[in-house]
Amino acid sequence: MQIELRILRFDPERDQKPHEESYRVEAGPMDRVLDLLHKVKYEQDGTLTFRRSCAHGVCGSDAMLINGRNRLACKIRVDQLKGRRITVAPLPGLPVMKDLVVDMDSFFAKFRSVQPYLQADDPDPERERRQSAEDREVFDDTTKCILCAACTTSCPSFWAQPSYVGPAAIVNAHRFIFDSRDDHAADRLEILADGDGVWRCRTIFNCTDACPRGIHITQAILEVTSKIVEHHA
Ligand code: SF4
Ligand code: F3S
Ligand code: FES
């Protein structure tokens, strides 16, 4: 079938502002939006710029706004989208560098700010740090994050206040705050109790709807918020 792909384009060396360009591509029902972007780039316009690496929903590099929703271009198939016209734009709320590529520096700075790594105070054991299956289960969901930014850039609280640390950083803080082997949960709770931390969440749920990994993000944010209240009680 013929699909019209309408892509928001922007070249900082040439354009004052973004503009839409339309491309007609032949697509099979099993083609993904990423396949259509490749067809445009390889067959019609080599200047089209977008990120992708794994092409299988693992690396998180090709999140973009597809038919008005943040999704991974490599995971959404043409037959999952209604109609023969598909709109594609960069993730909202981050500066556009070129076409579908946004500047992720501030996103990764927020991720780093919550200390997303294990910090155990006792000396390293000779072998691995053991953990029961029950203790592992507590944070299993938040280990699934691939840092695609679909959640943070779909959050109206982030759009309104870009200094908000955002759901992705909170998810990654959750993963270590609830890890029984870690001794520095209190440091992360202090960081997230800040004015740009968890209190900016208004439980809007866009983040949860956008997550390609199906992480229960809003629930994780509420669990971290409860922990902060407990910590300050
Ligand atoms: Fe992407 Fe989900 Fe991680 Fe957010 S929580 S960055 S949507 S994988
Ligand atoms: Fe935003 Fe998600 Fe909270 S959309 S307001 S971080 S529930
Ligand atoms: Fe890696 Fe889509 S290209 S997640």
Side-chain angles (χ1 to χ4, degrees):
M1 66 183 132
Q2 279 269 317
I3 294 286
E4 183 192 7
L5 207 55
R6 300 185 72 92
I7 306 175
L8 201 64
R9 307 272 325 248
F10 175 67
D11 180 347
E13 291 180 359
R14 210 185 52 197
D15 305 326
Q16 296 291 324
K17 54 184 176 82
H19 62 281
E20 215 171 52
E21 284 189 26
S22 171
Y23 305 88
R24 292 206 164 272
V25 282
E26 188 60 34
M30 297 304 283
D31 273 340
R32 304 153 308 165
V33 172
L34 181 63
D35 298 315
L36 306 193
L37 291 172
H38 280 148
K39 283 184 193 186
V40 172
K41 183 165 179 76
Y42 297 144
E43 296 165 16
Q44 299 187 38
D45 185 348
T47 69
L48 177 65
T49 305
F50 51 93
R51 284 194 186 103
R52 57 99 179 84
S53 182
C54 71
H56 291 285
V58 178
C59 73
S61 62
D62 65 339
M64 52 189 78
L65 193 67
I66 298 170
N67 280 4
R69 282 184 55 190
N70 282 356
R71 322 179 200 232
L72 294 180
C74 66
K75 276 196 79 176
I76 186 85
R77 289 194 319 268
V78 170
D79 70 348
Q80 293 173 296
L81 298 166
K82 302 267 179 287
R84 305 227 165 159
R85 176 189 285 184
I86 298 172
T87 61
V88 184
L91 288 176
L94 291 174
V96 178
M97 297 174 81
K98 188 165 187 238
D99 295 337
L100 302 172
V101 174
V102 292
D103 184 346
M104 302 277 285
D105 281 359
S106 60
F107 174 80
F108 285 119
K110 288 170 183 168
F111 166 66
R112 286 193 299 272
S113 78
V114 301
Q115 305 178 2
Y117 40 84
L118 191 81
Q119 299 178 76
D121 290 341
D122 49 336
D124 289 344
E126 276 192 20
R127 297 189 53 160
E128 72 273 17
R129 291 181 190 279
R130 303 297 296 269
Q131 183 170 53
S132 70
E134 293 74 27
D135 283 350
R136 175 64 170 71
E137 183 60 32
V138 175
F139 63 95
D140 185 66
D141 197 34
T142 47
T143 63
K144 295 174 190 157
C145 177
I146 55 171
L147 291 171
C148 69
C151 54
T152 297
T153 60
S154 67
C155 170
S157 296
F158 167 70
W159 300 336
Q161 186 54 261
S163 57
Y164 169 37
V165 70
I170 302 173
V171 159
N172 285 280
H174 179 286
R175 183 254 170 272
F176 291 99
I177 288 169
F178 289 90
D179 189 328
S180 59
R181 301 164 301 176
D182 187 278
D183 296 312
H184 285 249
D187 298 347
R188 300 187 191 89
L189 295 174
E190 283 300 328
I191 293 163
L192 292 172
D194 175 70
D196 283 323
V198 292
W199 310 116
R200 291 218 180 270
C201 174
R202 298 286 185 268
T203 54
I204 296 169
F205 276 89
N206 281 16
C207 54
T208 302
D209 289 343
C211 182
R213 303 287 293 164
I215 298 171
H216 299 94
I217 302 176
T218 312
Q219 184 186 322
I221 296 172
L222 293 175
E223 287 172 6
V224 171
T225 307
S226 303
K227 203 83 176 159
I228 289 174
V229 172
E230 209 177 282
H231 178 64
H232 284 102

